[in-house]
C-alpha cells in the first residue's frame, strides 16, 4: 500500500531535538556502562578499539538520521546493519525504522523489518555462539519493531488528522470568503436596483410629460429637458460606480477599481438627512408627495438605519410612480430612540394596472434589506390604497 498524497509535515525544533535525544540514549547508556564497569568486569568488546568503533557507529547512525525522510527505507536499512556489532547504533536504527513506518509503504516496511530481525538474531549468535541467544534476540527485536510500528502508525494518523483539520478549516474559510463576496454582490445589486429604478422612473415621468402635454411653455419644456439630462447623468454616474465595484478585484483597495478612480460602496451613501432632497427631486419631476415627518431626536439615528430608511422611502416612491402614475403619495415617518423608526408610504391602487417589467422585485429587495437591518416590513391594499409599513430598530 502506498499513499499517493502522503503527509510529512516539517518538524519543529523541539521535535527534532527529542528524536535525536531518543536516538542517542543507547549511545549515552553504553558510554556510562563502559565507564562504570571498566576495570570491574569484562566487557563484551573489551579493547579500546571495539569501544571506539561501537561509539563511532552510533555517531554515524545519528548523522544518517538527517536523511531519513528523503530516503526512508535506505536509511532505515543502513542504520540497522551496524546493530549486528554495535549497541550504540540501535537508537538511530529504531528512529529511522519508525520514520519509515510513518510513510505507510508496506512493501518497504516488511523487508526492512525482516532484515532487522535477522540482524538482531545474528548479533545474539555473535555474542556467545549459542542458538538460544540468537532466538532471544530475534524475539526481542520482533517485539521492539512491533512497538515501533504501532508508534509510527500512530504518528502518521495524528499527522493525517491534523492535515484533514487544516484542509477543513481552509475549506470553511474559503466558503466564508465566497459567502461574504456573494453577500456583498447581492448588496451591490440591491443598491443598483434601488438607485437606477428611482432614476429611470423619474426619466420616464419627465419624458412622458414632454410627450403628452401640449400646453407646456418653451421655458417649462427646457426645464423638463434639463431635468431629464441631469437625471440621466446621475444614473450613468451611479451605474458606473456600481459596475466599477463589481469589476474590482476583491483583494484590491477599498477606494478604487482596476481602472483607477472608480468609487466603491464605501463612498458617501444617502441617509435620512437627504430625504428632503429626495422629496424635492420627485416633486420637481411631477410626482405629488405629502410628507408627515414626526421623527424625534433624528440626529441620534444611526447612519446605517438612516440609509435603510432612505432606500425604503425611495423604493416606495418608485413603486408609486410605476403602478399609480400621477396619483398623490403620502409618506409618514415617526419614531424616537428606544421605540424604533416607523415608515408608512401609501398611494392609490388602481385596479387592472400591470406591474410591468420587474414587478414586485423592488418589494422583495425591500423585504430583504429590512430583514438584514433587524426590522419588519409589510404591504397590503386597504380601502383602495396600497400601504407599505416598515419598522426599523432604533436603540435608545
Amino acid at each position: 500500500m502506498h499513499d499517493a498524497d502522503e503527509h510529512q509535515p516539517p518538524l519543529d525544533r523541539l521535535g527534532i531535538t527529542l528524536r535525536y535525544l531518543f536516538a542517542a540514549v543507547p549511545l549515552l547508556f553504553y558510554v556510562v556502562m563502559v565507564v562504570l564497569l571498566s576495570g570491574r568486569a569484562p566487557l563484551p568488546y573489551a579493547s579500546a578499539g571495539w569501544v571506539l568503533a561501537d561509539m563511532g557507529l552510533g555517531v554515524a547512525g545519528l548523522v544518517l538520521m538527517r536523511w531519513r525522510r528523503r530516503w526512508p527505507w535506505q536509511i532505515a536499512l543502513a542504520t540497522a546493519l551496524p546493530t549486528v556489532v554495535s549497541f550504540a547504533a540501535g537508537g538511530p536504527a529504531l528512529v529511522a525504522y519508525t520514520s519509515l513506518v510513518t510513510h505507510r509503504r508496506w512493501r518497504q516496511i516488511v523487508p526492512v523489518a525482516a532484515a532487522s530481525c535477522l540482524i538482531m538474531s545474528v548479533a545474539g549468535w555473535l555474542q556467545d555462539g549459542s542458538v538460544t541467544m540468537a532466538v532471544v534476540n530475534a524475539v526481542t527485536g520482533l517485539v521492539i519493531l512491533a512497538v515501533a510500528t504501532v508508534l509510527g502508525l500512530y504518528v502518521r494518523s495524528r499527522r493525517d488528522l491534523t492535515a484533514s483539520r487544516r484542509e477543513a478549516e481552509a475549506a470553511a474559510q474559503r466558503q466564508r470568503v465566497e459567502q461574504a463576496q456573494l453577500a456583498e454582490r447581492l448588496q451591490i445589486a440591491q443598491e443598483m436596483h434601488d438607485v437606477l429604478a428611482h432614476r429611470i422612473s423619474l426619466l420616464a415621468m419627465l419624458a412622458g410629460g414632454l410627450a403628452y402635454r401640449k400646453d407646456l411653455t418653451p421655458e417649462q419644456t427646457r426645464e423638463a429637458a434639463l431635468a431629464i439630462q441631469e437625471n440621466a447623468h446621475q444614473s450613468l454616474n451611479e451605474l458606473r460606480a456600481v459596475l466599477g465595484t463589481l469589476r474590482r478585484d476583491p483583494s484590491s483597495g477599498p477606494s478604487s477599481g482596476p481602472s483607477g478612480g472608480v468609487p466603491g460602496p464605501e463612498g458617501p451613501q444617502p441617509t435620512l438627512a437627504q430625504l428632503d432632497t429626495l422629496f424635492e427631486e420627485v416633486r420637481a419631476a411631477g410626482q405629488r408627495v405629502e410628507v408627515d415627518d414626526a421623527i424625534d431626536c433624528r440626529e441620534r439615528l444611526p447612519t446605517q438605519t438612516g440609509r435603510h430608511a432612505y432606500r425604503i422611502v425611495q423604493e416606495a416612491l418608485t413603486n408609486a410612480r410605476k403602478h399609480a402614475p400621477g396619483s398623490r403619495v403620502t409618506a409618514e415617518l415617526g419614531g424616537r430612540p428606544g421605540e424604533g423608526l416607523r415608515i408608512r408610504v401609501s398611494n392609490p391602487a388602481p385596479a387592472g394596472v400591470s406591474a410591468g417589467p420587474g414587478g414586485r422585485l423592488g418589494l422583495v429587495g425591500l423585504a430583504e434589506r429590512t430583514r438584514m437591518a433587524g426590522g419588519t416590513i409589510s404591504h397590503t391594499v386597504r380601502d383602495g390604497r396600497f400601504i407599505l409599513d416598515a419598522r426599523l430598530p432604533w436603540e435608545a
Side-chain angles (χ1 to χ4, degrees):
M1 178 180 177
H2 179 272
D3 290 351
D5 187 21
E6 67 176 38
H7 183 66
Q8 295 290 332
L11 297 175
D12 55 15
R13 185 172 299 177
L14 177 60
I16 296 174
T17 302
L18 291 177
R19 283 163 175 77
Y20 273 92
L21 284 177
F22 180 81
V25 166
L27 176 61
L28 297 176
F29 177 78
Y30 185 71
V31 171
V32 171
M33 292 301 296
V34 168
V35 172
L36 293 178
L37 296 179
S38 61
R40 300 184 183 181
L43 297 174
Y45 313 109
S47 67
W50 276 112
V51 173
L52 292 176
D54 199 337
M55 295 176 62
L57 291 174
V59 173
L62 292 174
V63 174
L64 288 175
M65 277 177 51
R66 179 179 180 181
W67 296 281
R68 69 188 184 280
R69 287 189 160 197
R70 181 177 301 179
W71 301 297
W73 73 267
Q74 294 93 330
I75 298 300
L77 188 59
T79 53
L81 288 174
T83 60
V84 70
V85 294
S86 173
F87 174 76
L94 190 58
V95 173
Y97 175 79
T98 305
S99 179
L100 170 64
V101 173
T102 62
H103 291 264
R104 289 199 302 219
R105 299 174 181 175
W106 295 105
R107 293 183 179 179
Q108 299 174 2
I109 296 172
V110 172
V112 172
S116 298
C117 285
L118 179 61
I119 289 170
M120 294 188 71
S121 177
V122 173
W125 181 78
L126 289 177
Q127 288 183 12
D128 57 6
S130 66
V131 177
T132 303
M133 184 58 69
V135 173
V136 170
N137 267 24
V139 173
T140 303
L142 186 61
V143 173
I144 294 174
L145 291 175
V147 173
T149 301
V150 173
L151 178 61
L153 294 177
Y154 171 76
V155 171
R156 176 57 188 269
S157 66
R158 293 288 299 178
R159 290 175 179 174
D160 289 345
L161 180 60
T162 301
S164 63
R165 286 178 177 174
R166 289 177 178 172
E167 291 175 359
E169 290 175 358
Q173 179 65 18
R174 288 193 299 269
Q175 185 177 9
R176 286 192 294 268
V177 170
E178 292 172 358
Q179 290 176 347
Q181 291 175 342
L182 177 60
E184 183 66 19
R185 289 180 180 271
L186 290 175
Q187 183 179 0
I188 294 171
Q190 189 179 64
E191 292 291 331
M192 180 187 292
H193 175 273
D194 293 346
V195 173
L196 295 185
H198 167 70
R199 294 293 176 193
I200 293 174
S201 64
L202 285 179
L203 289 174
M205 177 177 289
L206 292 168
L210 288 178
Y212 295 105
R213 291 191 61 180
K214 306 295 185 180
D215 58 339
L216 294 178
T217 65
E219 182 63 26
Q220 290 175 327
T221 302
R222 180 175 178 279
E223 290 178 358
L226 289 175
I228 291 175
Q229 184 184 37
E230 178 65 22
N231 277 278
H233 282 312
Q234 292 186 19
S235 299
L236 288 175
N237 290 335
E238 290 165 349
L239 179 61
R240 189 178 295 113
V242 174
L243 294 180
T245 302
L246 290 176
R247 288 193 298 265
R248 190 180 64 203
D249 185 355
S251 62
S252 65
S255 59
S256 65
S259 59
V262 180
E266 294 78 7
Q269 296 292 330
T271 63
L272 205 63
Q274 281 75 46
L275 270 182
D276 291 339
T277 303
L278 174 65
F279 291 138
E280 292 175 1
E281 186 179 61
V282 298
R283 284 170 180 152
Q287 188 173 20
R288 295 181 296 169
V289 181
E290 293 181 356
V291 180
D292 181 9
D293 191 342
I295 301 176
D296 293 335
C297 306
R298 59 192 307 136
E299 69 278 358
R300 295 169 56 185
L301 183 70
T303 302
Q304 189 71 7
T305 304
R307 177 183 175 185
H308 291 311
Y310 179 94
R311 293 304 189 194
I312 290 173
V313 174
Q314 183 186 58
E315 179 60 28
L317 295 177
T318 301
N319 282 340
R321 289 194 297 272
K322 290 170 59 178
H323 306 308
S327 63
R328 186 179 299 275
V329 182
T330 301
E332 303 172 60
L333 299 94
R336 65 182 60 187
E339 293 184 0
L341 181 65
R342 303 183 304 276
I343 301 172
R344 169 176 286 194
V345 181
S346 63
N347 58 268
V353 177
S354 171
R360 304 187 67 86
L361 292 181
L363 294 177
V364 173
L366 284 184
E368 180 65 15
R369 176 187 291 276
T370 308
R371 183 189 65 80
M372 293 176 62
T376 60
I377 191 170
S378 63
H379 55 85
T380 184
V381 176
R382 187 167 57 245
D383 299 330
R385 293 185 67 83
F386 177 84
I387 302 173
L388 184 144
D389 272 309
R391 290 181 178 271
L392 299 175
W394 185 357
E395 300 295 335

